[in-house]
């Protein structure tokens, strides 16, 4: 394998974080990709995935809050705020996919 000096610096830093040699780290990564244990994604897709994970966590929190608001069979005034938060979270998720 051949790396540019900048690429080799990145590989060495990653290997050092794992307490491995650069060659050992590269070999481990190559095997992980070959065995479909590690699936590389582009930076753009990684950004979209991060945004979707955030949106999912936000929607989960909103669902928990809605359950808590309606637990006693009433819908207090706070429901409007929760619904506004839900709408905002859904819009963020839609923008992330477009």
């Amino acid at each position: 394998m051949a790396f540019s000096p900048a690429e080799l610096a990145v590989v060495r830093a990653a290997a050092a974080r794992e307490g491995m040699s650069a060659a050992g780290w590269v070999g481990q990564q190559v095997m992980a990709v070959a065995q479909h244990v590690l699936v590389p994604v582009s930076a753009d897709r990684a950004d979209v995935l991060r945004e979707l994970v955030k949106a999912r966590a936000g929607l989960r929190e909103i669902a928990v809050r809605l359950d808590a608001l309606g637990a006693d069979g009433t819908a207090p005034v706070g429901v409007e705020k929760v619904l506004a938060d839900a709408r905002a979270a859904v819009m963020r998720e839609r923008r992330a996919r477009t």
Side-chain angles (χ1 to χ4, degrees):
M1 299 193 129
F3 296 104
S4 72
E7 292 169 334
L8 185 55
V10 171
V11 168
R12 284 182 174 152
R17 280 193 306 270
E18 301 290 324
M20 301 175 72
S21 69
W25 185 86
V26 168
Q28 185 180 53
Q29 301 310 306
V30 168
M31 287 305 298
V33 171
Q35 295 170 339
H36 300 286
V37 174
L38 174 65
V39 180
V41 296
S42 70
D44 290 344
R45 289 187 181 194
D47 289 343
V48 170
L49 288 173
R50 268 191 291 281
E51 186 61 32
L52 287 173
V53 168
K54 277 193 221 176
R56 176 179 265 183
L59 290 172
R60 189 177 310 123
E61 174 62 25
I62 290 166
V64 167
R65 289 167 55 193
L66 282 170
D67 286 345
L69 288 173
D72 63 357
T74 65
V77 177
V79 160
E80 290 305 319
K81 169 83 171 94
V82 173
L83 292 175
D85 290 348
R87 286 186 198 100
V90 169
M91 292 310 294
R92 279 193 308 271
E93 194 272 340
R94 284 185 182 163
R95 280 193 300 269
R97 288 193 281 160
T98 58

